[in-house]
Amino acid sequence: MVSVPVHVSVVIPAYNSERTLHACLSAVYAQTLPPAEVIVVDDASTDQTREIARQFPVRLLQTPVNSGPAAARNRGIKASTGELIFFVDADCAPTPTALATALRILTDEPDVDCVHGIYLTEPLYDDGPVEAYRLLHAHYWRAINTGRVRTAIFALCVVRRCVFDDVGLFDERLRASEDVEISDRMADRHGIWLSAEMTCHHDDDSRLGALLRKQFSRSQLLVPVAVRERGPAGLRANRMGGVLATAAVLVTLPLVVLAPVLLAVPGAGLLWFATADPGLARFVRRERGTAFLGLFLCLHFLVHLAIVGGAAVGGTRFLLDRDFGPTRHVTPTADR
């Protein structure tokens, strides 16, 4: 059970976050339940991130070289003193009751040790249709999976310190899917709860090229992390039908060289993709209208192409390189 008042440490990993860090910290200090300490871990930024952090009464830690979010979070965990750790990404601005909501759930559900929240569809800064696509999708797949889950997303997340004492810290070899990997170690012994009431505004990707490059890079770790999962699969952002439909389009598109009429085969794959997640389509149409749904599906398909391509490359790398992917054996190393 969580007692009140409770000692909460906020850990914010930040890298080149000058655009969003002030809004993030302002939101953290505006919580209806104030945290005991706020730790910003600057991951070797080259912009004004550190100067912005110093405008607030935070504890600022700095890494000598950029090491990724897993290493930054680990450094924050080791430096923190709270019995609960509130993780907030630097591009997120939690709504005022986010922390209080998490503590209420931890109190109401004694076997739950981790509560995480969802992105609102309204961005932190409105940067156009690509960002709108990203937030609609991110909000939807989380919102339909609320309750007890096997995966924690640490962009907005409260965790009992005892979890890290038990399962160890984040795998610093991973620069993506690190939350999926640690969730797999957590899930069988520490309950995880996804709450639609714990929310934040998020500054998401707004440029298509950068988004696709990021998806391709991150997707290379999908196969290694999935292969080494110890328990059942956790949350997935995309339906398997959509992923398979995208792969079918890629595989069958060369048939057009043999005969133009065979364009119908990848065309059928595109139709399969467009209808693979009717709930998502209804949600987008309700939120932004039919015209935006067409744009949404085009962007969604391009993202799926990047995911499938990245997963194929990552799967190949995993077969050829034993050291690619998560650490095979992670032992608890948390400092108290």
Side-chain angles (χ1 to χ4, degrees):
M1 297 284 286
V2 175
S3 59
V4 177
V6 66
H7 191 94
V8 179
S9 298
V10 178
V11 172
I12 303 173
Y15 174 65
N16 287 350
S17 302
E18 63 180 8
R19 172 179 164 89
T20 59
L21 185 58
H22 192 281
C24 172
L25 287 169
S26 296
V28 166
Y29 282 103
Q31 292 295 296
T32 57
L33 184 63
E37 64 179 349
V38 178
I39 300 171
V40 174
V41 185
D42 174 63
D43 194 17
S45 295
T46 57
D47 63 1
Q48 299 298 307
T49 293
R50 291 184 293 277
E51 287 72 14
I52 293 170
R54 292 188 181 106
Q55 297 175 20
F56 295 82
V58 304
R59 181 178 179 188
L60 178 62
L61 306 179
Q62 301 178 50
T63 61
V65 295
N66 180 258
S67 303
R73 290 192 186 114
N74 285 348
R75 186 161 187 174
I77 294 167
K78 293 176 181 180
S80 66
T81 59
E83 59 190 284
L84 296 176
I85 303 175
F86 183 20
F87 294 97
V88 182
D89 278 0
D91 56 5
C92 294
T95 50
T97 60
L99 178 55
T101 296
L103 264 62
R104 174 176 55 79
I105 295 170
L106 288 171
T107 300
D108 293 344
E109 305 290 340
D111 61 334
V112 168
D113 293 327
C114 172
V115 180
H116 61 116
I118 68 176
Y119 297 155
L120 295 169
T121 57
E122 301 82 12
L124 184 58
Y125 304 115
D126 190 348
D127 294 316
V130 172
E131 183 177 40
Y133 154 74
R134 288 286 289 165
L135 288 174
L136 285 167
H137 180 240
H139 177 89
Y140 173 79
W141 73 260
R142 288 170 172 86
I144 63 172
N145 287 292
T146 53
R148 293 180 183 272
V149 293
R150 288 188 59 86
T151 305
I153 308 299
F154 284 80
L156 183 72
C157 183
V158 175
V159 187
R160 299 183 197 269
R161 175 177 292 279
C162 63
V163 171
F164 300 107
D165 294 335
D166 182 29
V167 306
L169 301 178
F170 290 91
D171 187 343
E172 296 187 11
R173 285 173 52 173
L174 299 178
R175 284 180 174 256
S177 297
E178 74 284 347
D179 41 10
V180 176
E181 191 279 331
I182 197 171
S183 295
D184 184 55
R185 286 183 271 141
M186 290 167 52
D188 288 335
R189 299 198 295 268
H190 301 280
I192 302 172
W193 190 280
L194 174 56
S195 171
E197 299 175 76
M198 183 185 184
T199 58
C200 72
H201 293 280
H202 179 50
D203 187 52
D204 217 316
D205 298 301
S206 60
R207 293 179 297 172
L208 181 58
L211 167 62
L212 296 179
R213 287 191 295 272
K214 179 188 290 185
Q215 289 295 316
F216 179 82
S217 176
R218 289 182 172 181
S219 297
Q220 293 186 41
L221 287 166
L222 290 176
V223 172
V225 170
V227 167
R228 291 179 181 169
E229 280 184 322
R230 299 162 177 81
L235 291 175
R236 294 292 184 261
N238 297 291
R239 293 285 184 90
M240 183 56 67
V243 175
L244 293 175
T246 304
V249 172
L250 284 172
V251 170
T252 60
L253 191 59
L255 294 176
V256 179
V257 176
L258 301 177
V261 69
L262 294 178
L263 183 63
V265 180
L270 284 173
L271 181 61
W272 178 16
F273 175 84
T275 58
D277 195 341
L280 174 61
R282 288 192 297 269
F283 171 73
V284 173
R285 186 169 59 246
R286 184 171 65 250
E287 292 288 317
R288 296 292 296 263
T290 302
F292 189 85
L293 174 60
L295 175 62
F296 181 97
L297 289 174
C298 290
L299 293 172
H300 205 39
F301 181 70
L302 291 174
V303 167
H304 272 68
L305 287 174
I307 291 172
V308 170
V313 170
T316 302
R317 292 179 64 185
F318 182 63
L319 289 174
L320 299 176
D321 182 1
R322 283 180 53 88
D323 293 329
F324 180 70
T327 304
R328 290 181 179 270
H329 300 287
V330 180
T331 56
T333 58
D335 294 341
R336 295 203 64 176

